[in-house]
Amino acid sequence: MTIMVFEAFYANVSNEPSITLSQLTIYIWLKQAFLAFIALWIRDNELFQLITTGNIAYELCRPTGLYGLWYAKLTAQRLSNAALRCFPVLIVAFVLPQPYRLTLPPDLTSLVLFAIALLFGLMLLVSISMLLYISVFVTMSPVGSLLIFAVAGEFLAGMVIPVPLMPHWLQTVVYALPFHYTADFPFRVYSGHIPANEALIGIIVQLAWLVVLVLLGKKR
């Protein structure tokens, strides 16, 4: 249905958007297939309960770093959820008729860069999620923290409106923040909307944001 809505939009638009309908179709299918990689609203209620009930004290007594332990746990959860979800979605998407079909990347380079960008995007999203859990130490309100992070993060990642369809002033804001590197960036690398040379620069920026966010989380 989402693709049909955009199909009607493209049929009646006066100015041709910077992203084609076929590239946008890829964007939508990948968003559905890898939802567990890119959705900030996916949470671990057990961690929230540990913080709000005070049982986090037992975790702090363990002879291991809490940040690394939670980071590994959240990453494993998203990987397992994605493994169960992505293959059925991808199989169905590849056999649908045009213009609803998911197509392969334009070349092998785009596929390899997409895989790298998606992996770094997952790591970046988990580092952002860690800041969400850390904020609960201060707010003691999982709902409030989740609302702020999820609403802002989902929109700025291009989960609501694809970034190429946003106004130019809003795109400038989005590109200055790390959220779009978790979803929008790897999906447009796959479709070929972002060429290989720009994709390599984007992956370097992903790594830079990852280092900054992990260091920020560990300091908290």
Side-chain angles (χ1 to χ4, degrees), residues 121-189:
L122 169 63
M123 297 170 67
L124 188 58
L125 185 79
V126 174
S127 67
I128 295 173
S129 297
M130 286 296 298
L131 295 179
L132 188 158
Y133 292 102
I134 292 169
S135 71
V136 179
F137 281 94
V138 178
T139 64
M140 296 305 291
S141 172
V143 175
S145 295
L146 185 65
L147 183 64
I148 294 172
F149 273 82
V151 172
E154 297 279 305
F155 183 80
L156 295 173
M159 296 282 284
V160 180
I161 302 174
V163 175
L165 299 183
M166 292 180 178
H168 290 295
W169 67 267
L170 186 54
Q171 289 186 33
T172 303
V173 174
V174 169
Y175 292 145
L177 298 172
F179 299 99
H180 96 100
Y181 287 104
T182 65
D184 168 77
F185 172 69
F187 296 164
R188 288 198 285 137
V189 169

Side-chain angles (χ1 to χ4, degrees), residues 13 15 27 29 39-40 59 71 84 91 123 140 142 215 218:
V13 70
N15 296 322
Y27 193 108
W29 277 121
L40 263 173
E59 294 290 316
Y71 192 100
L84 293 173
I91 291 171
M123 297 170 67
M140 296 305 291
L215 291 177
K218 284 187 174 183

Side-chain angles (χ1 to χ4, degrees), residues 34-50:
F34 296 101
L35 188 64
F37 275 20
I38 60 178
L40 263 173
W41 50 261
I42 295 177
R43 60 196 183 276
D44 188 330
N45 287 323
E46 181 183 352
L47 298 186
F48 283 141
Q49 290 175 0
L50 284 173

Side-chain angles (χ1 to χ4, degrees), residues 19-216:
I19 185 171
T20 66
L21 180 59
S22 60
Q23 290 172 334
L24 192 60
T25 299
I26 292 172
Y27 193 108
I28 293 169
W29 277 121
L30 292 178
K31 181 175 71 174
Q32 290 300 317
F34 296 101
L35 188 64
F37 275 20
I38 60 178
L40 263 173
W41 50 261
I42 295 177
R43 60 196 183 276
D44 188 330
N45 287 323
E46 181 183 352
L47 298 186
F48 283 141
Q49 290 175 0
L50 284 173
I51 299 170
T52 55
T53 61
N55 290 333
I56 187 65
Y58 297 106
E59 294 290 316
L60 294 173
C61 292
R62 297 178 185 272
T64 182
L66 193 61
Y67 186 94
L69 180 65
W70 284 12
Y71 192 100
K73 179 181 180 182
L74 295 174
T75 303
Q77 287 175 344
R78 290 182 178 273
L79 283 170
S80 60
N81 290 339
L84 293 173
R85 178 186 176 92
C86 71
F87 293 110
V89 174
L90 292 175
I91 291 171
V92 171
F94 274 118
V95 299
L96 287 175
Q98 292 290 1
Y100 311 108
R101 180 186 302 167
L102 173 63
T103 56
L104 293 171
D107 50 53
L108 183 60
T109 302
S110 296
L111 180 60
V112 173
L113 291 174
F114 161 73
I116 297 172
L118 186 65
L119 176 61
F120 287 154
L122 169 63
M123 297 170 67
L124 188 58
L125 185 79
V126 174
S127 67
I128 295 173
S129 297
M130 286 296 298
L131 295 179
L132 188 158
Y133 292 102
I134 292 169
S135 71
V136 179
F137 281 94
V138 178
T139 64
M140 296 305 291
S141 172
V143 175
S145 295
L146 185 65
L147 183 64
I148 294 172
F149 273 82
V151 172
E154 297 279 305
F155 183 80
L156 295 173
M159 296 282 284
V160 180
I161 302 174
V163 175
L165 299 183
M166 292 180 178
H168 290 295
W169 67 267
L170 186 54
Q171 289 186 33
T172 303
V173 174
V174 169
Y175 292 145
L177 298 172
F179 299 99
H180 96 100
Y181 287 104
T182 65
D184 168 77
F185 172 69
F187 296 164
R188 288 198 285 137
V189 169
Y190 179 103
S191 68
H193 187 259
I194 296 179
N197 58 334
E198 293 182 19
L200 288 172
I201 296 174
I203 289 172
I204 294 173
V205 176
Q206 276 184 311
L207 285 171
W209 271 115
L210 180 61
V211 171
V212 169
L213 292 173
V214 169
L215 291 177
L216 181 62

